[in-house]
Amino acid sequence: MNLQTDRLQNGSTKFQVPAQTVGQLRTEMEKELFESVIPFWEKNSWDQKNGGFWNCLDRTGRVFDVTKYGWLQGRETWLFSKLYRTVEKKPEWLAMARSGAEFLRYKALTPDNRIPFRMTADGTPVYIQRKIFSECFYIMAMAEYARASGDESYLQEAERMFALVWQWAFDWKKVGRPSYAGETPLQSLAVPMILMNLIEELTDGRAAPYERELEQCQKAFLLHVKTGEKRVYEFVRPDGSLCTDLPEGRQLNAGHAIEAGWFLQHWARRQKNSALSALAVDIVRWSHEEGWDKEHGGLFYFLDAQGHSPVQLEWNMKLWWPHCEALYAHLLNYSVTGSRADWELFLSTKDYTFSHFPDRTHGEWYGYLDRQGRVSQTFKGGAYKCAFHVPRALLLCRNLLKALEAGQ
Amino acid sequence: MNLQTDRLQNGSTKFQVPAQTVGQLRTEMEKELFESVIPFWEKNSWDQKNGGFWNCLDRTGRVFDVTKYGWLQGRETWLFSKLYRTVEKKPEWLAMARSGAEFLRYKALTPDNRIPFRMTADGTPVYIQRKIFSECFYIMAMAEYARASGDESYLQEAERMFALVWQWAFDWKKVGRPSYAGETPLQSLAVPMILMNLIEELTDGRAAPYERELEQCQKAFLLHVKTGEKRVYEFVRPDGSLCTDLPEGRQLNAGHAIEAGWFLQHWARRQKNSALSALAVDIVRWSHEEGWDKEHGGLFYFLDAQGHSPVQLEWNMKLWWPHCEALYAHLLNYSVTGSRADWELFLSTKDYTFSHFPDRTHGEWYGYLDRQGRVSQTFKGGAYKCAFHVPRALLLCRNLLKALEAGQ
């Protein structure tokens, strides 16, 4: 397939998928989301005694680690708030969202405004990361819960924390990480990328009053995008130059780049910026092309831009979340370009993902496969996997398929 | 095979391996050590400009990361000092050892007595770990270089640092790690284990003047050994009780336990403590039995004592160092017990190890294989792999085989 030709033809020769096919796919997404994934978390993750959620759940849903994880408390609170607000007014979804939001705000939050990365069941800190991500997910949770519940104080809390995170994001020392004389200053893709999405979540897509912050995130993100070599680098120097004599300076993470691609596309479309939209389309395509394992299928976790042996032991594993991101990103690309190539990428990603990750016996998806696609860890929830990437991707795909069905 | 019976028969029915077989194996170890492994590091790792060693070397020996790693500077300095002192007075071995020792002492060491985990080529800190291991390997390097060079000031430096590390080892806050209210106090096997070996290296096996510290390490180590269930746990509470509701409290690392087994055996034999010696034999046997992959061969990296899916993504990979430790530990067991079972464990470990890890084209060994035994990363040196486990195991095996040949 020739992506370039497809894009030139966009508009005049839009690839029309039959409404029936779109409808079948929408039904499949809904079935997966509402009959397998959400019930697993509803049934197993709510800690009604302490509030918040059990995160570490084995294949069948039993708790195998009695601590809780800050990223995941925020993410699951966000999810059930979003479901309640945008899908259906189920009282138990609001109750779960409230439980998570109150646990985060009144039990997990420390006096110095940190959300522990790991905590006891009652919210006492076990470990505080020297990173901003726990607080980012806290903000997402507070903002979405405010809209779900109508309690404005949660939105104010989200805005209060955003101001702190914004400062921390560009001055790491404030979250306790010392800097050393020999360090090569490198900027991580994760920071502008998550903030770009966070502003979308915090403002429900309006950007106001964070237009300037959004612009700064977009600029910082674009420093990672190297159109000449069709790559998104995880780490670049603050001026955007590459640092290829260090493994982190050559690090590629297709899943991350693809996720950043759709974060960018959401803004590009709102901003009616067609050049930015075309770039976002390309980012997803390039990253899929380079990151896809031609031998065994699936997206590699890490690659080295110069072909060195990646230093991450798990580099060739197939993780659930890059496939979730790719699923939605290709469908979004198709909705933008009308290109057959994008539709086919969506379908082939869906085939790999739906045939490898779901657990048809106990519900939800496995998170970690080996290179050959065999399940490597059987748990459904862990320190990084929770009720987030799978249901978010399924919900986004379902919503977009619905819009395509309706001819929007 | 019945280990219990073998041990009871020890002495009366000692399994005698023909001297010729022992001699062939000794020759094989020497060939691997002196014709493949050592030449790789001699040729590729010495940084003659800045002093010290390049650590990150690809399959062919080219540098793929221009930073240096503190653990590895200490380990390689120790190795070349040991080779010079105990194998042959090769001037280049002493020159490499001196280069490493001077780099560590005069370039890497920080004003507050830390050795960076990672540093620039000239020793400027890139990252300082909140752990004591860089300093432990510094002490090993200083002590062995002092004996190799005859420069007593390096031994004094080793003793000075040991006093600091001893304090830090039992008060983590001193190396910068905050503690949190919700933390379950857990003691890591790594600390008493490395200190037990460090006292052996620092005192060349005499223990004096660190007899009390050694006793404390042995006691702390034994808290991890659960004879009832035939296991060594990586983390236990300070009173030795298990914490099985957390994954780290259930964590098993066969390679670590096997390594700790031979560290303990070295002291048990010097202390003429036959009960401790028998326990050290058992630790190696149990850990091998539980850690060995019955389906694909090789030792798993991590297991969960209750059979939960291990949380480490790399749990089922086969790493070079557990196999290096097992190689020597089984041979040492055989030298202690005279048991056929121990000899056979040595042989089967040697077969797996020698048929999977060595690179017959470019020398040295691969470090990381997937569960099925396929090479997963091709580099020879990385942030944790250097001129240490492979040559140490080969040297220890060669020395012990030599002693067995001589009927000692």
Side-chain angles (χ1 to χ4, degrees), chain A residues 58-323:
Chain A
D58 74 8
R59 188 185 167 195
T60 67
R62 280 179 316 174
V63 175
F64 68 87
D65 174 349
V66 296
T67 57
K68 294 175 175 171
Y69 290 82
W71 292 24
L72 315 188
Q73 299 299 315
R75 286 167 159 182
E76 189 158 345
T77 301
W78 171 89
L79 176 74
F80 281 101
S81 301
K82 183 75 89 186
L83 289 174
Y84 181 79
R85 183 170 73 94
T86 68
V87 177
E88 195 185 330
K89 298 283 175 281
K90 281 199 184 177
E92 60 269 38
W93 287 350
L94 186 63
M96 284 180 77
R98 181 187 308 120
S99 177
E102 292 179 350
F103 178 82
L104 278 165
R105 189 170 175 184
Y106 300 113
K107 294 189 174 177
L109 187 68
T110 70
D112 56 347
N113 292 300
R114 301 300 313 277
I115 294 292
F117 177 74
R118 191 180 185 188
M119 63 197 94
T120 60
D122 68 1
T124 312
V126 170
Y127 177 64
I128 297 182
Q129 241 182 355
R130 300 183 291 182
K131 295 178 179 172
I132 59 167
F133 305 117
S134 297
E135 292 77 20
C136 289
F137 297 117
Y138 177 79
I139 295 165
M140 279 176 68
M142 295 295 110
E144 192 58 36
Y145 178 68
R147 285 190 288 269
S149 66
D151 183 342
E152 279 288 315
S153 79
Y154 281 88
L155 191 60
Q156 287 152 18
E157 175 61 6
E159 287 170 343
R160 187 187 73 84
M161 182 62 97
F162 185 83
L164 293 171
V165 163
W166 187 257
Q167 283 187 300
W168 295 337
F170 297 98
D171 184 358
W172 286 97
K173 288 176 97 169
K174 291 214 178 115
V175 278
R177 181 181 289 269
S179 57
Y180 298 105
E183 255 180 282
T184 302
L186 289 177
Q187 172 184 299
S188 165
L189 177 69
V191 173
M193 171 183 158
I194 197 166
L195 291 173
M196 205 157 64
N197 177 249
L198 193 55
I199 294 171
E200 179 177 357
E201 288 298 330
L202 176 57
T203 67
D204 202 22
R206 288 186 307 272
Y210 301 107
E211 294 90 343
R212 280 183 52 195
E213 285 82 356
L214 175 61
E215 196 189 332
Q216 194 174 328
C217 291
Q218 288 181 321
K219 272 191 186 158
F221 167 67
L222 292 175
L223 293 176
H224 294 259
V225 181
K226 304 302 173 194
T227 50
E229 29 177 324
K230 301 185 175 183
R231 282 197 178 117
V232 180
Y233 282 82
E234 281 289 303
F235 296 94
V236 295
R237 292 203 184 83
D239 66 358
S241 63
L242 296 178
C243 175
T244 55
D245 54 0
L246 296 181
E248 54 271 45
R250 300 188 301 264
Q251 188 178 310
L252 305 175
N253 180 327
H256 230 195
I258 287 169
E259 185 179 13
W262 75 253
F263 287 177
L264 186 69
Q265 186 68 266
H266 278 197
W267 284 118
R269 299 192 76 185
R270 286 198 193 90
Q271 294 166 338
K272 303 196 193 308
N273 183 334
S274 59
L276 200 62
S277 172
L279 181 65
V281 166
D282 280 341
I283 285 170
V284 173
R285 291 172 171 180
W286 305 332
S287 305
H288 184 103
E289 174 62 24
E290 184 159 23
W292 193 260
D293 181 352
K294 310 295 181 290
E295 202 176 336
H296 300 283
L299 290 162
F300 287 119
Y301 193 12
F302 292 104
L303 290 173
D304 180 290
Q306 294 186 350
H308 290 281
S309 185
V311 293
Q312 297 84 2
L313 300 195
E314 66 275 24
W315 74 275
N316 61 12
M317 290 179 73
K318 311 293 164 63
L319 269 65
W320 83 108
W321 69 261
H323 297 83

Side-chain angles (χ1 to χ4, degrees), chain A residues 64-67 118 120 124-128 130 180-183 245-248 250 308-315 317 368 372 374 376-379, chain B residues 64-67 118 120 124-128 130 180-183 245-248 250 308-315 317 368 372 374 376-379:
Chain A
F64 68 87
D65 174 349
V66 296
T67 57
R118 191 180 185 188
T120 60
T124 312
V126 170
Y127 177 64
I128 297 182
R130 300 183 291 182
Y180 298 105
E183 255 180 282
D245 54 0
L246 296 181
E248 54 271 45
R250 300 188 301 264
H308 290 281
S309 185
V311 293
Q312 297 84 2
L313 300 195
E314 66 275 24
W315 74 275
M317 290 179 73
Y368 305 89
Q372 287 73 24
R374 289 171 294 226
S376 167
Q377 347 273 118
T378 57
F379 54 77
Chain B
F64 68 87
D65 174 349
V66 296
T67 57
R118 191 179 183 190
T120 60
T124 311
V126 170
Y127 177 64
I128 296 182
R130 301 184 291 182
Y180 298 105
E183 256 180 281
D245 55 359
L246 297 180
E248 55 271 46
R250 300 188 300 264
H308 288 283
S309 185
V311 293
Q312 297 85 1
L313 301 195
E314 66 276 23
W315 75 275
M317 291 180 71
Y368 304 90
Q372 289 73 23
R374 289 170 295 226
S376 167
Q377 349 272 117
T378 58
F379 54 75

Side-chain angles (χ1 to χ4, degrees), chain B residues 16-34:
Chain B
Q16 200 70 47
V17 180
Q20 199 193 348
T21 307
V22 176
Q24 279 166 356
L25 283 158
R26 196 233 332 126
T27 307
E28 205 177 339
M29 297 289 167
E30 286 176 344
K31 213 167 127 64
E32 194 62 33
L33 178 61
F34 299 120

Side-chain angles (χ1 to χ4, degrees), chain B residues 1-204:
Chain B
M1 65 199 170
N2 185 324
L3 298 178
Q4 198 53 44
T5 309
D6 277 349
R7 285 193 54 207
L8 289 173
Q9 294 170 348
N10 179 18
S12 55
T13 63
K14 179 168 170 144
F15 176 68
Q16 200 70 47
V17 180
Q20 199 193 348
T21 307
V22 176
Q24 279 166 356
L25 283 158
R26 196 233 332 126
T27 307
E28 205 177 339
M29 297 289 167
E30 286 176 344
K31 213 167 127 64
E32 194 62 33
L33 178 61
F34 299 120
E35 293 174 26
S36 168
V37 174
I38 297 300
F40 181 88
W41 301 103
E42 285 174 328
K43 189 175 158 207
N44 302 303
S45 75
W46 192 5
D47 174 7
Q48 297 203 41
K49 186 181 153 224
N50 298 287
F53 310 104
W54 299 113
N55 300 129
C56 297
L57 303 174
D58 74 8
R59 186 185 169 196
T60 66
R62 280 177 317 174
V63 176
F64 68 87
D65 174 349
V66 296
T67 57
K68 294 175 176 170
Y69 291 82
W71 294 21
L72 315 187
Q73 300 297 315
R75 286 166 158 183
E76 188 159 346
T77 301
W78 172 87
L79 176 74
F80 281 101
S81 300
K82 184 75 90 185
L83 289 174
Y84 181 79
R85 182 169 76 92
T86 67
V87 176
E88 196 185 330
K89 296 282 175 285
K90 279 198 185 177
E92 60 270 38
W93 286 351
L94 185 63
M96 286 180 76
R98 181 187 308 119
S99 177
E102 291 178 349
F103 178 83
L104 277 165
R105 188 170 175 185
Y106 300 113
K107 295 189 175 177
L109 188 68
T110 71
D112 55 348
N113 291 300
R114 300 299 315 273
I115 295 292
F117 177 74
R118 191 179 183 190
M119 63 198 94
T120 60
D122 69 1
T124 311
V126 170
Y127 177 64
I128 296 182
Q129 243 183 352
R130 301 184 291 182
K131 295 178 178 174
I132 60 166
F133 305 118
S134 297
E135 292 77 20
C136 288
F137 297 118
Y138 178 79
I139 294 165
M140 279 175 69
M142 294 294 110
E144 192 59 36
Y145 178 68
R147 286 190 287 269
S149 67
D151 184 341
E152 279 287 316
S153 78
Y154 280 87
L155 191 61
Q156 287 153 18
E157 175 62 5
E159 286 170 343
R160 185 186 74 83
M161 182 63 97
F162 185 83
L164 293 171
V165 162
W166 187 258
Q167 281 187 300
W168 293 338
F170 298 98
D171 184 358
W172 285 97
K173 288 176 98 167
K174 291 215 176 110
V175 282
R177 180 182 290 269
S179 56
Y180 298 105
E183 256 180 281
T184 302
L186 289 178
Q187 170 184 300
S188 165
L189 177 70
V191 172
M193 172 183 158
I194 197 166
L195 291 173
M196 204 159 62
N197 178 247
L198 193 54
I199 294 171
E200 178 178 357
E201 288 298 330
L202 177 56
T203 66
D204 202 20

